[in-house]
Amino acid sequence: MSSLAEHSPRKGQSLEKQVDTVRVFDQSFYWLAVIGAIGIGGVLLWIAVQIGLSALPAIQSYGVDFLTTTTWDPVRNIYGVLPQIYGTLISAAIALVIAIPVGIGVAVFLSENFLPNAVRTPIALAIELIAAVPSVVIGLWGIYVLIPFLRPFYNFLYENFGWIPLFSTPPRGNSLLTLGLVLSVMILPTIIAISRGSLIALPRDLRQGALALGATRWETILRVLIPAAFSGIVGSIMLALGRAMGETMVAAMLVGNSNQITPSLLAPGATIASLIASQFGEAGREQVAALLYAGLILMILTLIVNILAEIIIQKFQNVE
Amino acid sequence: MATTEDTIGRTKKINLTRSARTPFRSYFDFFMTFLTGAFTILTIVPLVALVWDVVRQGIDRLGIQSFTELPPPPGLEEGGFGNAILGTLITLGIAAAISVPFGVLAAIYLSEFGRGTRIAYGVKFATNVLAGIPAILAGLFAYTVVVLTTGGFSAFAGGVALSVVMIPIVVRATEEGLLLVPQEMRQAAVGVGATNFQSISRIVVPAALPSIATAVTLALARAGGEAAPLLFTALNNNFWSTDIWQPIATLPVLIYFYAIIPYEAQKEIAWAAALVLLGIILIVSISSRLLARQRL
């Protein structure tokens, strides 16, 4: 309000009036910010309601059977997403099986002082960059570099362990296993960043106490630090699960988009996201409705996972 | 050797010369350190391999024509993806025009007005959940809201879809930047009689401007690489287009379409486009992170 001291009030306007306008202006700015903030929740709600409403016609025509039907037939207008739900869950599970131990391991390694800071910082940066790579570029790389690279391993698995149902089909490259492997790398940054953050945030006394009692460094880590940071780690895993289930381009490019349920991980499959991405382009009216229904299911799955993750992480932060 | 009495009074010999640290415990420690170190290297290998392959495969095809020419029809060789670069810039511009004012206002509320309130808690919660929503659902949302109501695929619909991706990133990073502004600056502004608006618009936001710029850049880098929200909003276009009500080509969608069709020339263009996209995103991400770190 320095302007008031320097300049005389404008003609025809008393000082009070000017102060009033400033106050009104100030108030409206406050409310603008409030609207902006509440608008975030509004957008979230809008997305949920909008997708729910547009799925309504399909919900009415296909009902709950949509979840248990295994056909996707635009010609006869029979739609069901059981194979896609199966593929979404299986590929996410493969990704988690790999990413949980590796992610927690890396988080520990980077939160301890095994490496000097000058080495640790670039490594942490590189891991953050994995999350920055566009998924369509990862998909391109997966098709032309990773799949040819993995083929001998797949053949080996099939030839030697083909009697296990998990590897019982001739490998085709595009498969749930390929997708799971790539997803595991893509969700690692999420697990590492949040787990590492909660490990670093632990009070020093915990570590010092354990070491003073004679525990080795890894006994301290495994029995004291990881249990103490457990909720942060679990939260990071939930977030990673949400990412894995919703990842679209990599799924559409690497999973093979085949509408089937087999126990074999070497067989092509489909996920809900890959179904939407690969079918939407040439979909007619009925099929678009069915795809919106599929989108609603994906949204419900990811919302549950993400909300749980947030609750777990927030709870952890409040304890601190 | 020394002797000691246990709890029921028996005399026991204990060995004081040997460390309680048995070989197994030492080996276990060494093994775990080695294992997690190996995991760390293993995590970075795919990134290095991917960047290396994209550079190797994309560099041959990259030239001035990549930026100035249209993609060739199937079967022909020459051409570039200039229209897709322009399209990416246009959709990002629309997305930024929606998400930046909105996101910055929300962040201002979180850091300046609502600190510690229930509303702020709820808003942060909503922001984080929004960040976790799959990008393809942002596409479905924009499809039902924009494409169905305006009657066609358009660059604007793509921009709306990308803005959903950008908003949570802008909010979170801007809030962090605003929180870094020392409380004393706000108190000094209020002390000389500034209103909230004056203190925020003249003192706090200018002080946090570099972090806000970083936030916007990171959000743009993230949204610029997304193909899923654009597949059925902006769709694709084989020609130059600047009309925001028409379908438009974008780099990620072009890479997707060209990666899955069996023409060699298109495949090469996909790699070159991937190199351009990845190059820009990595450079932007690295530099903005380094700048952010310097400020801390």
Side-chain angles (χ1 to χ4, degrees):
Chain A
M1 204 134 331
S2 55
S3 58
L4 280 184
E6 284 160 21
H7 308 289
S8 55
R10 270 172 236 142
K11 271 179 205 164
Q13 219 182 12
S14 70
L15 188 66
E16 282 98 54
K17 245 187 186 161
Q18 264 201 18
V19 171
D20 266 357
T21 22
V22 167
R23 193 169 295 144
V24 167
F25 201 68
D26 202 47
Q27 277 300 308
S28 31
F29 177 69
Y30 170 76
W31 285 110
L32 203 63
V34 172
I35 291 167
I38 294 177
I40 306 278
V43 169
L44 186 63
L45 214 64
W46 189 11
I47 295 175
V49 170
Q50 186 74 34
I51 293 182
L53 282 181
S54 34
L56 216 53
I59 297 175
Q60 278 161 352
S61 30
Y62 311 116
V64 189
D65 289 347
F66 192 67
L67 300 176
T68 53
T69 308
T70 54
T71 345
W72 188 272
D73 188 344
V75 183
R76 289 182 295 151
N77 274 326
I78 303 172
Y79 300 108
V81 285
L82 189 61
Q84 284 76 20
I85 295 177
Y86 172 81
T88 304
L89 296 179
I90 294 293
S91 57
I94 298 171
L96 284 185
V97 164
I98 300 166
I100 290 174
V102 175
I104 297 176
V106 175
V108 168
F109 192 77
L110 293 179
S111 65
E112 296 279 312
N113 57 349
F114 290 122
L115 296 174
N117 243 327
V119 186
R120 221 184 313 161
T121 316
I123 292 180
L125 179 69
I127 290 173
E128 276 178 49
L129 287 182
I130 297 176
V133 177
S135 56
V136 71
V137 174
I138 299 181
L140 179 74
W141 180 74
I143 293 177
Y144 295 108
V145 181
L146 188 67
I147 287 183
F149 173 77
L150 287 174
R151 195 156 279 140
F153 297 98
Y154 287 171
N155 285 329
F156 173 81
L157 277 177
Y158 173 63
E159 278 155 21
N160 295 287
F161 299 98
W163 47 274
I164 304 174
L166 286 179
F167 310 115
S168 58
T169 52
R172 253 201 42 194
N174 290 40
S175 64
L176 286 173
L177 185 57
T178 309
L179 175 61
L181 288 173
V182 176
L183 285 180
S184 73
V185 177
M186 293 180 72
I187 62 176
L188 270 173
T190 309
I191 296 185
I192 294 171
I194 298 171
S195 302
R196 184 178 173 223
S198 44
L199 283 168
I200 289 177
L202 292 175
R204 289 176 136 219
D205 322 15
L206 278 178
R207 170 194 302 275
Q208 288 164 348
L211 291 174
L213 286 172
T216 64
R217 188 205 279 260
W218 272 98
E219 284 163 354
T220 310
I221 292 168
L222 292 175
R223 303 215 189 138
V224 178
L225 300 184
I226 290 183
F230 194 64
S231 45
I233 294 173
V234 172
S236 78
I237 292 169
M238 299 283 285
L239 282 182
L241 173 63
R243 258 206 89 181
M245 293 196 307
E247 176 50 52
T248 306
M249 301 320 296
V250 164
M253 293 163 91
L254 298 181
V255 80
N257 297 315
S258 157
N259 195 38
Q260 58 170 353
I261 301 181
T262 72
S264 172
L265 302 180
L266 297 177
T271 72
I272 301 177
S274 80
L275 174 83
I276 301 173
S278 58
Q279 300 284 319
F280 213 100
E282 53 260 27
R285 216 185 146 79
E286 302 269 332
Q287 201 185 348
V288 165
L291 287 170
L292 285 165
Y293 192 179
L296 177 67
I297 293 164
L298 178 63
M299 187 175 69
I300 292 170
L301 283 177
T302 49
L303 274 185
I304 292 172
V305 168
N306 277 305
I307 289 174
L308 280 179
E310 281 313 311
I311 291 173
I312 293 170
I313 292 175
Q314 300 262 5
K315 214 166 131 195
F316 169 75
Q317 282 169 342
N318 290 348
V319 170
E320 262 180 75
Chain B
M1 289 284 186
T3 57
T4 183
E5 280 185 6
D6 69 8
T7 43
I8 51 169
R10 291 178 302 191
T11 312
K12 273 178 84 179
K13 280 183 184 168
I14 56 163
N15 185 349
L16 288 182
T17 53
R18 199 176 116 208
S19 158
R21 204 168 159 141
T22 61
F24 171 75
R25 295 172 70 199
S26 299
Y27 291 146
F28 178 73
D29 250 40
F30 176 77
F31 170 73
M32 286 304 286
T33 307
F34 178 80
L35 186 71
T36 50
F39 279 168
T40 307
I41 296 170
L42 201 70
T43 305
I44 299 177
V45 167
L47 177 74
V48 175
L50 179 136
V51 172
W52 167 250
D53 285 320
V54 170
V55 171
R56 202 165 48 93
Q57 306 255 21
I59 199 93
D60 287 341
R61 185 67 196 223
L62 199 65
I64 195 75
Q65 83 285 352
S66 305
F67 302 92
T68 57
E69 284 177 27
L70 288 172
L76 291 182
E77 288 292 318
E78 293 304 309
F81 40 85
N83 60 335
I85 295 177
L86 181 68
T88 287
L89 294 178
I90 290 174
T91 46
L92 282 181
I94 297 166
I98 300 168
S99 62
V100 172
F102 188 38
V104 170
L105 271 178
I108 286 176
Y109 175 81
L110 289 178
S111 98
E112 306 301 313
F113 297 121
R115 248 188 241 192
T117 62
R118 275 178 164 273
I119 298 181
Y121 180 83
V123 171
K124 276 187 202 174
F125 196 93
T127 311
N128 289 342
V129 174
L130 195 61
I133 285 199
I136 185 126
L137 294 181
L140 283 184
F141 169 70
Y143 174 81
T144 57
V145 171
V146 185
V147 175
L148 289 184
T149 50
T150 61
F153 301 103
S154 64
F156 182 75
V160 170
L162 291 184
S163 73
V164 175
V165 176
M166 284 179 70
I167 285 172
I169 307 174
V170 173
V171 175
R172 287 201 290 204
T174 304
E175 192 209 349
E176 269 173 37
L178 290 172
L179 289 176
L180 286 180
V181 176
Q183 202 60 25
E184 286 80 3
M185 290 178 77
R186 297 184 181 88
Q187 289 162 349
V190 173
V192 296
T195 63
N196 276 331
F197 174 68
Q198 286 165 332
S199 128
I200 291 168
S201 66
R202 306 243 183 111
I203 307 294
V204 180
V205 169
L209 208 56
S211 345
I212 297 176
T214 312
V216 174
T217 322
L218 280 177
L220 285 172
R222 170 73 204 287
E226 288 286 358
L230 298 173
L231 278 178
F232 29 83
T233 51
L235 206 66
N236 197 9
N237 192 331
N238 287 327
F239 304 98
W240 293 97
S241 168
T242 50
D243 184 349
I244 65 167
W245 298 110
Q246 289 298 318
I248 202 164
T250 51
L251 277 177
V253 173
L254 176 122
I255 295 171
Y256 173 57
F257 284 151
Y258 284 3
I260 56 176
I261 58 171
Y263 293 103
E264 199 58 30
Q266 265 73 3
K267 207 176 96 180
E268 284 170 13
I269 287 180
W271 278 108
L275 177 57
V276 171
L277 187 62
L278 185 67
I280 294 174
I281 287 178
L282 286 189
I283 290 169
V284 164
S285 305
I286 293 173
S287 49
S288 55
R289 279 185 173 86
L290 289 181
L291 284 175
R293 243 167 232 173
Q294 259 173 10
R295 271 200 302 279
L296 282 175

